Amino acid sequence: MLGLMQDHPLLISNLIVFAARHHATQQVVSRRVEGDIHRYTYRDAELRSRRLAQALDAMGLAESDRVATLAWNGYRHLELYFGVSGSGRVVHTVNPRLPPEQVVWIVNDAEDRVFCFDMTFLPLVKAIAAKCPTVKHWVALCEADALPADTGIPGLVSYEALIAAHGVDYRWPTFDERLAAALCYTSGTTGNPKGVLYSHRSTLLHAITAALPDGQALSALDSILPVVPMFHVNGWGLPYGAPMAGAKLVLPGPALDGKSVYELVEAEGVTMAAGVPTVWLAMLNHLNANGLRFSTLKRTLIGGSAVPPAMITAFRAHGVSVLQGWGMTETSPLGTGSSFKPKHAGLDEAGKVRVLAMQGRAIFGVDMKVVDAEGDELPWDGKSSGDLLVRGPWVISSYFRRTDEPLLRDGWFPTGDVATIDEDGFMQITDRSKDVIKSGGEWISSIDIENIAMAHPAVAMAACIAVPHPKWDERPLLVVVRKPGVEVTPAELRAFYEGKVAKWQVPDDVVFVDAIPLGATGKMQKSILRERFRDHRLPS
Ligand code: AMP
């Protein structure tokens, strides 16, 4: 016997329609790339999203066609989230920090039909446009009169002109909630990034569950600032969660330095802000250097990398609570959060910080376990460390275009993180089995860095490892065995990376060793190198 309740699909358009109807006057505030502050309401956002949806119809876009965005957090990007997904197409957020050839690869892999970009990225778009044959429409996110002449980009139109040509008489379509809604590529350990394809259902279930009080704790009384870019796993779901809760949404544009973020927090009465540790370090430094306080900020959601205990202490000293979140592009992203249980009430401050410094416990819907090399589950004793596996309705089943490559292990997604879980279900990351370095929230493939080094005539063997860094969390160090009798300096090797990777991916330093430790199968034992160079002082 089936239940007798109404069968409404969970669609992304529901979120903005709800906000426009029930929180019509709630504000969306954006710092624009032009530098000024733009302010409107959820009602305005929904009406403009409808115009955009009609514009996509007029372009002849079919269901599930991809629309790429290369944009900072702002109201036009928000409209793309809703207008593109809500009309049954797929919003494909592209990370502008990737090297241009990877952006080209991603756009071609996704077969994007439309490409929308902030004017700050015009030079990048000019450089790649001719290499993206699937893109039939280039759209600059600006007013018509801000569009420069002679960009060389074929048929370039301004977003404002595009949507102004269409009315608001649009009915959001209804379709299967499992339809693809958003696409985000994640950098793998080597080679090209892989696409994670979210559905309407996975996005809504994630938004609802992540918003629970022990997670993002979203409310209509909140003013929410996602500093995390909307090209990083959908801004951690906050562009969906804020309208769902009827919360004010504050979008910081490209100004992510400590001073600008602090000023926005104060000016817009921000109560909850989310971002990677690097961003918060800059903001806390600005506060301390200028003797400033927060007048409205109550909570921060910090994730993407381990949160240093000193950062938790600093926020708490300012009266701001910290929720450390763990997640991945493949998990939409929220999987765990470090929120207290009743037994922690009696802990002193140091004990509380220890709890918050763990990656935390699973939110409802996510199941996790740690396994040994044979795949057997390890006990939840806070000591047994193994591969972290997760599963749930907003966890990936396969990568885009790679459904024939087995990804799951008995239905569980192997995260590439190595962790312990304690008796209270608190997960703590202890290492990483995937060969990558995370610097300021962005990935560097160690293998790509090593392959380039190996192409240098003086290098016999090279290993690239992460070294802890106070600002960027991790930075790459290149460990090199030179060919006998050949001289090469660290500066020469670093110069060898010019033009081959993005500037921020070049190793900070090079050390020379006689040999790199190898395991039984001939694999480099990087854990030994990481231990040996843990305290290596990188040049400032
Ligand atoms: P991404 O797919 O770029 O969001 O990266 C996901 C990866 O970032 C995870 O698999 C972890 O390695 C790392 N990560 C995310 N959150 C945390 C955290 N709170 N602590 C430590 N590492 C994290």
Side-chain angles (χ1 to χ4, degrees):
M1 181 166 66
L2 296 179
L4 295 173
M5 308 308 281
Q6 298 180 11
D7 202 3
H8 290 280
L10 301 171
L11 300 180
I12 285 175
S13 56
N14 302 160
L15 298 169
I16 197 70
V17 168
F18 173 81
R21 194 163 155 77
H22 297 274
H23 301 276
T25 58
Q26 183 60 284
Q27 286 187 52
V28 178
V29 180
S30 312
R31 194 196 294 276
R32 305 202 306 167
V33 292
E34 294 86 342
D36 59 340
I37 295 288
H38 173 275
R39 212 175 276 282
Y40 72 0
T41 64
Y42 280 128
R43 176 101 186 102
D44 300 322
E46 199 245 339
L47 290 176
R48 282 168 55 91
S49 305
R50 289 193 210 178
R51 291 181 192 275
L52 169 63
Q54 302 225 63
L56 301 176
D57 288 352
M59 285 173 175
L61 256 62
E63 184 178 274
S64 298
D65 272 352
R66 269 77 68 200
V67 175
T69 67
L70 191 71
W72 298 109
N73 295 8
Y75 62 106
R76 293 183 183 121
H77 205 174
L78 188 75
E79 293 160 15
L80 284 157
Y81 266 44
F82 291 104
V84 174
S85 304
S87 66
R89 285 90 184 198
V90 176
V91 64
H92 169 205
T93 52
V94 182
N95 185 341
R97 293 175 181 147
L98 293 176
E101 49 298 350
Q102 268 192 16
V103 173
V104 169
W105 189 90
I106 285 174
V107 171
N108 285 320
D109 189 64
E111 295 187 28
D112 292 322
R113 294 281 309 278
V114 184
F115 193 106
C116 307
F117 60 95
D118 272 340
M119 287 301 277
T120 36
F121 301 122
L122 183 62
L124 172 60
V125 177
K126 275 184 180 172
I128 65 166
K131 299 174 193 155
C132 303
T134 64
V135 177
K136 301 298 173 212
H137 305 271
W138 297 93
V139 181
L141 297 171
C142 64
E143 303 286 345
D145 57 9
L147 207 61
D150 304 330
T151 57
I153 301 168
L156 179 65
V157 291
S158 90
Y159 178 83
E160 293 301 331
L162 180 78
I163 67 165
H166 298 276
V168 296
D169 51 339
Y170 180 77
R171 286 178 73 87
W172 294 104
T174 296
F175 39 74
D176 189 327
E177 64 186 18
R178 292 165 302 171
L179 200 72
L183 178 64
C184 183
Y185 280 73
T186 177
S187 300
T189 49
T190 182
N192 288 313
K194 289 178 279 191
V196 179
L197 190 60
Y198 310 98
S199 69
H200 286 259
R201 174 185 156 82
S202 71
T203 305
L204 261 78
L205 289 176
H206 174 265
I208 295 165
T209 315
L212 286 170
D214 282 351
Q216 295 168 343
L218 307 182
S219 142
L221 301 178
D222 274 318
S223 171
I224 296 170
L225 173 69
V227 182
V228 51
M230 288 164 72
F231 53 78
H232 270 181
V233 215
N234 308 319
W236 296 352
L238 289 168
Y240 304 116
M244 182 187 74
K248 177 175 173 181
L249 185 59
V250 182
L251 301 169
L256 304 180
D257 60 287
K259 180 170 184 284
S260 304
V261 174
Y262 173 75
E263 285 172 0
L264 202 58
V265 167
E266 289 299 302
E268 299 304 330
V270 168
T271 55
M272 190 275 202
V276 297
T278 302
V279 163
W280 300 133
L281 188 70
M283 191 175 73
L284 288 169
N285 285 344
H286 175 71
L287 250 77
N288 294 341
N290 297 284
L292 301 168
R293 308 283 310 167
F294 293 114
S295 33
T296 56
L297 191 66
K298 305 246 178 352
R299 329 190 287 287
T300 50
L301 167 59
I302 315 182
S305 290
V307 185
M311 179 170 287
I312 299 172
T313 304
F315 267 119
R316 287 172 65 84
H318 278 288
V320 177
S321 68
V322 171
L323 178 80
Q324 166 157 207
W326 169 89
M328 306 177 66
T329 310
E330 289 89 338
T331 64
S332 297
L334 206 60
T336 68
S338 63
S339 51
F340 295 120
K341 283 188 165 181
K343 69 183 285 189
H344 300 127
L347 290 177
D348 61 9
E349 182 60 14
K352 286 190 169 141
V353 170
R354 268 198 300 279
V355 174
L356 298 174
M358 291 193 268
Q359 277 65 32
R361 54 191 170 90
I363 60 169
F364 170 75
V366 173
D367 196 5
M368 62 180 177
K369 63 177 178 179
V370 283
V371 299
D372 62 17
E374 280 70 50
D376 294 325
E377 184 167 3
L378 291 165
W380 290 21
D381 57 8
K383 293 194 281 282
S384 307
S385 143
D387 289 328
L388 176 69
L389 272 54
V390 295
R391 64 178 179 188
W394 51 90
V395 175
I396 190 167
S397 61
S398 28
Y399 290 104
F400 183 53
R401 293 196 195 292
R402 292 169 182 238
T403 44
D404 50 346
E405 292 174 22
L407 175 66
L408 306 187
R409 284 197 222 155
D410 291 334
W412 294 79
F413 168 66
T415 62
D417 288 320
V418 176
T420 58
I421 304 177
D422 73 11
E423 43 288 345
D424 298 313
F426 279 72
M427 185 269 287
Q428 185 157 26
I429 294 190
T430 54
D431 201 357
R432 209 181 267 153
S433 57
K434 48 194 171 194
D435 215 348
V436 276
I437 295 162
K438 203 168 200 189
S439 172
E442 303 286 352
W443 290 114
I444 301 171
S445 158
S446 331
I447 299 172
D448 286 351
I449 300 294
E450 287 156 10
N451 287 343
I452 293 171
M454 293 297 287
H456 190 281
V459 174
M461 191 183 259
C464 183
I465 55 167
V467 173
H469 189 279
K471 178 170 179 195
W472 301 110
D473 196 48
E474 294 177 2
R475 287 298 302 157
L477 171 71
L478 189 67
V479 183
V480 168
V481 181
R482 275 175 288 205
K483 284 190 183 153
V486 189
E487 279 310 310
V488 66
T489 64
E492 282 163 353
L493 279 178
R494 292 184 70 246
F496 192 59
Y497 284 90
E498 247 169 61
K500 299 189 177 83
V501 294
K503 268 203 181 91
W504 58 268
Q505 296 178 320
V506 177
D508 279 16
D509 203 1
V510 180
V511 290
F512 297 108
V513 292
D514 293 336
I516 287 173
L518 300 179
T521 56
K523 249 176 95 171
M524 294 192 284
Q525 290 185 305
K526 291 201 182 171
S527 50
I528 297 178
L529 289 178
R530 277 200 290 269
E531 203 42 51
R532 177 166 162 200
F533 291 104
R534 171 160 297 279
D535 299 322
H536 179 79
R537 284 180 71 89
L538 296 167
S540 53

